[in-house]
Amino acid sequence: DKGGFKHFMAKEIAEQPVVLQGALSHYISADGTAVTMPEPEIDFAKVERMTMVACGTAFYACLVAKYWFEQIASVPVEVDVASEFRYREPPVTAGTVALFVSQSGETADTLAALRYMEGKADKIMSVVNVPESSIARESDLPLPILAGTEIGVASTKAFTCQLTTLAILALRAAQMRGKLSDVELAEKLTALRALPGLMNHALGIEQTSKDISRKLAEARDILFLGRGAMYPLALEGALKLKEISYIHAEAYASGELKHGPIALVDKHVPVIVMAPRDSLFDKTVSNMQEVMARGGKVLLITDQKGADEAGEGVWDTIIMPEIDPFLAPILYAIPAQLLAYHTAVAKGTDVDQPRNLAKSVTVE
Ligand code: F6R
């Protein structure tokens, strides 16, 4: 049942504030001051490193989580795509926690990577949407993301619920490692609890995204740029767009632009810059100016202050609500999803069942 929406994808995008609320109440105490993880918890004070493995969108959730665990909890994190990890047979040293992220919990490569880590990692965690799935059953500590059934092939609400679960886990790890005081933790949890409201607000960009998407639908190639934890969001935006609109899209870390990809920029290539006003904003603005100086059409996704600071010359802007930079990757998933969705609708593709793709990839 599409609940009045034209596609499951549109319904699942719109559902995000509600399902996210569910995930937040599952992992945060009613008084909003503590993280409530299932027992027995992992003692993060003893963890030396984490290895996170997944495919596709779930892999990008891991890439965001790497920034969080390293910056907030000071845990070194390696992230790999499951199809590479399983055959590389990496050495595993004591003190390693393995974490697998999967919406379906049945992705063949991710499951094989999990089985490779059995008996090698100290603990196997998973972040899954389907609680009775193979990946959930075979891990020591499965964490449900509570997104509800996701039908659209392009993952949307599962991604933001994966991120939310991982953000809370990173905060808990930081607390256990003495990197975050109780006051700081409570502040971050308050910011998290404000997310559903901000998401509702962000969903208000629907009409703007629709208008911009009509122009994006004419493009042959589109670039996405982001820095820090927004780099994986750029990757997710490009994946979502190519998957359902069949437009060639690529993402780069903003700082990599001048090492090659800037050669692609001309007046026909929209460049989507995902840039909340964080500590790296100025650097992203100068990358953006390099693009504009070469005739590139910049679509800037930022907040009002960011738009004011970035000045003139951009092709278009999407204004997002202001948010704690720590949580920006979760909120900025919304414009990534809406642009992909409306571009696909403008092109008339089969949004919920894109060609050549399956919802659950149970063969490698
Ligand atoms: C993209 C998408 C895929 C999946 C990937 C992993 O929109 O849905 O990239 O994220 O196939 O699937 P799960 O999470 O089920 O392991």
Side-chain angles (χ1 to χ4, degrees), residues 178-328:
K179 304 288 175 194
L180 207 63
S181 70
D182 290 349
V183 174
E184 287 165 326
L185 174 68
E187 267 170 28
K188 291 291 179 215
L189 294 178
T190 304
L192 266 163
R193 295 201 307 160
L195 253 179
L198 289 174
M199 247 186 191
N200 259 323
H201 189 149
L203 286 166
I205 63 164
E206 175 109 40
Q207 190 55 47
T208 314
S209 314
K210 213 172 187 169
D211 297 341
I212 295 171
S213 296
R214 267 189 221 111
K215 302 191 278 178
L216 292 179
E218 320 259 292
R220 204 189 61 183
D221 309 284
I222 297 179
L223 293 180
F224 282 78
L225 298 180
R227 257 180 203 271
M230 297 311 292
Y231 167 46
L233 258 288
L235 289 163
E236 169 64 0
L239 176 65
K240 214 98 295 177
L241 190 78
K242 63 189 138 195
E243 174 176 32
I244 59 171
S245 77
Y246 316 146
I247 294 175
H248 172 237
E250 280 194 73
Y252 291 95
S254 306
E256 272 293 288
L257 193 66
K258 54 167 72 74
H259 300 285
I262 198 158
L264 296 171
V265 172
D266 67 16
K267 63 179 191 317
H268 303 293
V269 182
V271 180
I272 303 180
V273 181
M274 310 194 76
R277 222 173 99 280
D278 56 16
S279 57
L280 301 171
F281 184 71
D282 293 350
K283 295 191 187 299
T284 304
V285 169
S286 58
N287 299 135
M288 214 172 79
Q289 278 155 352
E290 289 155 12
V291 169
M292 295 189 303
R294 284 151 189 90
K297 299 193 285 195
V298 170
L299 165 59
L300 176 62
I301 308 179
T302 186
D303 48 45
Q304 188 59 56
K305 286 194 190 134
D308 295 344
E309 269 176 42
E312 309 271 283
V314 296
W315 180 57
D316 221 325
T317 314
I318 292 180
I319 304 286
M320 299 291 291
E322 265 184 58
I323 182 159
D324 181 336
F326 164 62
L327 297 175

Side-chain angles (χ1 to χ4, degrees), residues 55-58 101-105 107 153-155 162 239-240 243 361:
C55 301
T57 288
V101 180
S102 176
Q103 187 285 126
S104 63
T107 301
V153 163
S155 188
Q162 285 162 355
L239 176 65
K240 214 98 295 177
E243 174 176 32
V361 186

